[in-house]
Amino acid sequence: MEIKGKKAVVFGGASGMGRAAAELLAARGADVAVLDRPASPGADVAAALGGRFHPVDVTDFEATESVLADAVGALGGLHVSITTAGGGSVQRTLGRNGPHDLDAFRRVLDLNTVATFNISRLAALHMSRNEPDGAQAPDEPDGTGERGVIITTSSIAAFEGQVGQVAYSAAKAAIAGMTLTMARDLGSLGIRVLAIAPSLFATGATERIPEETRAALVKDAAFPKRLGRPEEYAKLALAIIDNPMLNGQCLRLDAGQRFAPR
């Protein structure tokens, strides 16, 4: 899909990988709306992009529907949806204080899995109203035009969750698991769906980690042995948008790293 002139929303766009994606989309000529928590710096980020900020708590599912509709209305359509909002907690299935707190487990799934699915299903509805982009010539009957691209964020913890990550691993594995099915659901509409599974990236959650600790965290990476950079997530997101043959996959972005148990 040609990025210039397209309409995009980025959930979690006020910081980290979401902000980098929003900035790169805008630099490539897309109209971008930033959606993030009310207390985030989203207004300043959106202003710098020449876009709009729409405050939202993605775990308020009804409000998310309303805020997304407002964002799409202001943009005049929707072609690209990127969701990076998420987070986790550390708790063992059975720890010193007893079994894993069930409410905490549900909160992690709501923030990651349910919120991601909610955003994706609503984005698909808005995208389905688009005219197909770049329809193939009549002598290529198997080709169809695109209406949209949905990009979600999983994690390599979906595949190699560490001790204490049972809720986060389950939530991110669900995002990876829904990708192909959702792509199949939406394929007849010309909507592609992909997930990105990053390793440890230099975002707000990791910026306070001492340098020597960072080195230990990435020692199992093949190359480069460092935290990922938000702009590297953004580059992959734009490559996904640009290449119509990418669909239905969860793409690892991890420098060849595999998480050890601890």
Side-chain angles (χ1 to χ4, degrees):
M1 174 177 285
E2 170 63 41
I3 294 170
K4 186 175 182 180
K6 296 300 188 294
K7 317 295 184 180
V9 296
V10 182
F11 284 84
S15 63
M17 295 180 293
R19 177 174 180 168
E23 290 173 342
L24 192 52
L25 280 165
R28 297 285 181 88
D31 297 323
V32 183
V34 173
L35 296 90
D36 213 316
R37 293 167 298 175
S40 73
D44 291 338
V45 173
L49 301 177
R52 291 182 173 86
F53 173 56
H54 300 267
V56 66
D57 175 355
V58 295
T59 61
D60 185 337
F61 306 125
E62 290 185 2
T64 298
E65 182 171 3
S66 175
V67 171
L68 178 57
D70 289 344
V72 173
L75 286 169
L78 182 63
H79 301 95
V80 175
S81 172
I82 299 177
T83 302
T84 65
S89 61
V90 177
Q91 197 173 153
R92 294 191 183 206
T93 305
L94 180 62
R96 294 177 181 177
N97 298 321
H100 194 297
D101 182 78
L102 196 56
D103 286 337
F105 187 90
R106 287 190 178 115
R107 284 194 295 272
V108 173
L109 263 71
D110 275 350
L111 175 59
N112 294 275
T113 307
V114 182
T116 293
F117 177 72
N118 187 44
I119 291 165
S120 299
R121 72 183 184 95
L122 297 170
L125 175 63
H126 291 292
M127 292 173 182
S128 71
R129 298 167 179 155
N130 293 334
E131 288 296 320
D133 175 62
Q136 300 296 314
D139 60 346
E140 298 181 65
D142 292 335
T144 57
E146 286 189 86
R147 287 187 169 90
V149 182
I150 295 171
I151 300 173
T152 64
T153 305
S154 180
S155 166
I156 66 169
F159 313 106
E160 304 108 32
Q162 296 183 302
V163 169
Q165 285 191 317
V166 63
Y168 186 70
S169 294
K172 293 300 189 180
I175 292 172
M178 72 174 74
T179 303
L180 176 58
T181 305
M182 192 181 295
R184 287 172 166 171
D185 284 348
L186 300 175
S188 62
L189 297 171
I191 298 172
R192 294 186 289 120
V193 184
L194 290 104
I196 298 174
S199 55
L200 291 167
F201 268 59
T203 64
T206 60
E207 63 183 6
R208 292 183 293 276
I209 299 175
E211 187 59 41
E212 60 273 18
T213 304
R214 292 189 185 196
L217 290 172
V218 298
K219 64 182 177 60
D220 295 324
F223 178 83
K225 291 181 180 294
R226 59 166 171 78
L227 298 185
R229 296 166 181 157
E231 59 268 27
E232 291 165 337
Y233 176 100
K235 288 177 181 179
L236 179 54
L238 265 70
I240 287 170
I241 297 165
D242 183 61
N243 192 331
M245 282 299 286
L246 287 173
N247 196 13
Q249 299 184 63
C250 181
L251 304 174
R252 295 182 66 123
L253 186 63
D254 61 10
Q257 181 170 14
R258 300 295 182 267
F259 278 155
R262 301 174 187 272

